[in-house]
Amino acid sequence: MRDGIALTAKQLAVAARIGVAHPRCVRLLAVERMPWPAPRAVLDFLMRRGAVPQRIAGLTLRYAIFLRKDCWEDRKLLAHELAHTAQYERLGGFRPFLRQYFDEWLTVGYPNGELEREAERAVHKSCAHE
Ligand SMILES: [Zn+2]
């Protein structure tokens, strides 16, 4: 949140269309490698089970959106991550979002959970306006 940049006017409009209640709170940060908010061993375990894509392109922690540097211009990816921000808002913050997200991840699997599918629908909706 400290190092990220705010959304541009165009990105603010996309965020609003997707349903982000407070798009001005969003900060974007380009990273070489995705930060991982859990011990490395957990990520390794999930990757061995095929539960994590090998090269994660985006990660959203409520208003903090991390985008891999080579995906910085990917508008569909940003729309997808903004949809997750809207989900954090709707569900009531980190704990309820992450509980549902990882529950879906470990049961129906990535990317077949309802939160992921809803984010993909938001991408299609936002792109239909361009
Ligand atoms: Zn997603």
Side-chain angles (χ1 to χ4, degrees), residues 37-128:
R40 181 74 212 182
V42 174
L43 181 61
D44 289 343
F45 171 77
L46 291 170
M47 278 188 164
R48 279 197 303 276
R49 297 184 60 199
V52 180
Q54 290 297 311
R55 299 246 307 137
I56 300 168
L59 176 73
T60 299
L61 297 173
R62 198 171 61 166
Y63 293 116
I65 298 179
F66 299 89
L67 299 171
R68 217 174 56 214
K69 272 193 173 125
D70 57 310
C71 301
W72 183 252
E73 303 287 337
D74 186 339
R75 285 178 306 178
K76 287 183 179 178
L77 175 64
L78 178 60
H80 179 102
E81 300 305 328
L82 286 168
H84 285 317
T85 297
Q87 292 167 342
Y88 275 96
E89 289 178 330
R90 188 182 75 228
L91 294 172
F94 281 99
R95 189 180 291 267
F97 174 85
L98 293 172
R99 178 175 292 146
Q100 182 175 336
Y101 189 83
F102 285 107
D103 182 63
E104 290 176 1
W105 216 17
L106 295 172
T107 52
V108 291
Y110 180 90
N112 302 313
E114 183 48 37
L115 292 174
E116 276 303 323
R117 291 191 299 138
E118 182 189 299
E120 277 308 294
R121 287 195 299 274
V123 171
H124 294 298
K125 233 191 308 182
S126 82
C127 293

